[in-house]
Amino acid sequence: MKTYSKITPEGTRDLLFEECRARRQVQAKLSKVFSQRGYREVMTPGLEYFDVFNLGEAAIPQQEMYKCTDNHGRLLVFRPDSTLPIARMAASRLQGHEKPLRFYYNQSIYRNLPELSGRSNEVAQMGIELMGVQGLRADLEGIATAVAALSACVPDFRVEIGHARFFQVLADQLPVTPSVKEELRDTIESKNYAALGELLDPLGDLPAAQAMAQLPRLFGGEEALHEAERWFQDGETREILEYLKRLYQALGELGLGDRFMVDLGLVQRNDYYTGVVFSAYTHQHGDAVLLGGRYDCLCEKFGDPLPAVGFSLDLDAIADLNVSASQEEPVQVLVFGEPGYEMQALQLVSSLADQGVVCENSVYDTEEETLRYGRAMGIPKVLCVGKETREWNIEGGID
């Protein structure tokens, strides 16, 4: 019988040395960015009731959730999303608090994705939620905070901005089933023009179908917004377009030049978004390293209507970009205690560490073994503690 005791589950991995250090450094940078902007840290359980994520249009697909049961037979899931449980927490525990509520989080999500999807099933995330406020000022704060977070961690990135309602309004005007709507969403998100055409061709000259066919093509700078005027000339889509123009022009004052892009085909996988949506990319990573947007109807599903905007960063993707710059400080001193002087050696290690010296305690029984280990590990100095303390320079012998 095959055993799996030496491998990790599919979609997960071990982190070693510099990878751990890089992640901690990124966590520290992001925590500083968020806390200095008034966001306070929250944590939600790794296990939640299935019902939290089974909320109609806001539901996470069942097949993507890891499930188990508690002692009473109630269905639990490993947290597949951070925004939904934070919305639950805000609606159930913070109803009387002054708005807006500013949260940031640092926790992992778990998704049971198809094999060979190329994506991790365990994703470490950090992000913010700004709850209890809507409008241009809040959207600007959310995106500006995302830019500040990215700027603290990566040298180069691109932010794409769209609006969830473009797709939703057009899809509601099409005589298609919910499953076809999801197919349309997937093809627009992946910019699969051929598949999109096959889905829309049977609908003929319906204005909504013609406009939807343009969504993945309306990509670029301000010219994309001007091009969109041909397709969105009245009703809600025109109002959305005018709002995006104001947002894009205001964001231009951040001085990021062509790093801000418009993408009207930006269709987030989570269907709880109701307004502006945004993603960020780096040259070194294929998928988005940041996803966010406005979700004004989510908290209402937990009994407390709260408009909100937020985003999440893929912590491991960003940490991977920082591994080369996060080398561990090498061990400078190896301390060996002669027989009977083991505690004195440990006391010296503590004293050196308090002074900021990176040092190790030798667990070998002899001085010869300790010196061999020091040479193998490239530790330049060995201190031998006995009746008197002797110092060995690995390269030059005893001093």
Side-chain angles (χ1 to χ4, degrees), residues 97-386:
H97 281 242
E98 187 68 28
K99 306 302 186 296
L101 301 170
R102 285 183 170 89
F103 306 124
Y104 81 88
Y105 58 87
N106 177 10
Q107 56 193 30
S108 294
I109 64 168
Y110 304 88
R111 292 287 185 100
N112 189 13
L113 299 174
E115 293 184 19
L116 305 178
S117 67
R119 294 175 174 168
S120 298
N121 289 5
E122 179 184 16
V123 180
Q125 292 184 337
M126 289 189 72
I128 67 157
E129 311 293 351
L130 175 59
M131 293 183 165
V133 62
Q134 57 187 343
L136 182 67
R137 290 173 183 266
D139 288 347
L140 286 172
E141 177 176 330
I143 298 173
T145 304
V147 168
L150 289 165
S151 299
C153 300
V154 294
D156 191 27
F157 57 87
R158 183 183 77 247
V159 179
E160 298 178 0
I161 302 168
H163 202 290
R165 288 296 294 164
F166 278 125
F167 173 80
Q168 293 163 358
V169 170
L170 296 174
D172 288 344
Q173 297 175 24
L174 299 178
V176 296
T177 64
S179 62
V180 173
K181 286 183 181 179
E182 288 308 305
E183 287 185 63
L184 287 167
R185 183 195 299 275
D186 290 341
T187 56
I188 291 172
E189 183 181 21
S190 62
K191 297 191 184 300
N192 188 336
Y193 300 111
L196 181 61
E198 291 178 4
L199 290 169
L200 293 175
D201 284 347
L203 302 177
D205 295 332
L206 282 176
Q210 292 181 326
M212 184 169 285
Q214 300 304 313
L215 286 180
R217 295 176 170 86
L218 295 171
F219 175 84
E222 195 168 1
E223 72 280 358
L225 294 171
H226 295 312
E227 174 67 18
E229 292 176 354
R230 296 177 50 196
W231 305 97
F232 308 120
Q233 297 183 354
D234 51 41
E236 185 178 352
T237 55
R238 184 65 182 196
E239 293 177 7
I240 295 169
L241 185 58
E242 292 302 320
Y243 180 79
L244 271 185
K245 286 182 182 179
R246 291 175 59 203
L247 184 71
Y248 183 81
Q249 290 169 358
L251 290 171
E253 297 180 18
L254 289 178
L256 294 179
D258 59 1
R259 288 203 285 180
F260 263 120
M261 308 290 286
V262 173
D263 185 0
L264 300 195
L266 190 58
V267 183
Q268 306 288 42
R269 295 179 68 220
N270 292 334
D271 202 29
Y272 50 66
Y273 289 113
T274 60
V276 63
V277 289
F278 48 95
S279 301
Y281 297 84
T282 67
H283 292 299
Q284 301 91 338
H285 193 74
D287 289 331
V289 297
L290 180 148
L291 294 171
R294 171 159 291 281
Y295 53 97
D296 286 345
C297 301
L298 191 57
C299 291
E300 183 177 347
K301 297 180 182 297
F302 298 100
D304 188 16
L306 282 176
V309 63
F311 64 81
S312 65
L313 293 117
D314 185 334
L315 195 57
D316 285 332
I318 294 176
D320 286 346
L321 301 177
N322 287 265
V323 167
S324 60
S326 63
Q327 299 297 320
E328 294 278 359
E329 187 175 349
V331 177
Q332 298 166 290
V333 178
L334 179 62
V335 179
F336 170 71
E338 295 179 357
Y341 291 88
E342 293 86 358
M343 291 310 301
Q344 288 87 337
L346 286 171
Q347 289 170 355
L348 179 56
V349 168
S350 296
S351 176
L352 291 171
D354 289 342
Q355 299 171 46
V357 177
V358 181
C359 55
E360 282 187 20
N361 173 60
S362 173
V363 294
Y364 290 97
D365 291 328
T366 67
E367 188 173 310
E368 290 74 15
E369 290 176 299
T370 297
L371 291 171
R372 182 202 59 77
Y373 173 78
R375 291 189 185 95
M377 298 300 294
I379 302 173
K381 183 184 295 186
V382 177
L383 296 179
C384 298
V385 180

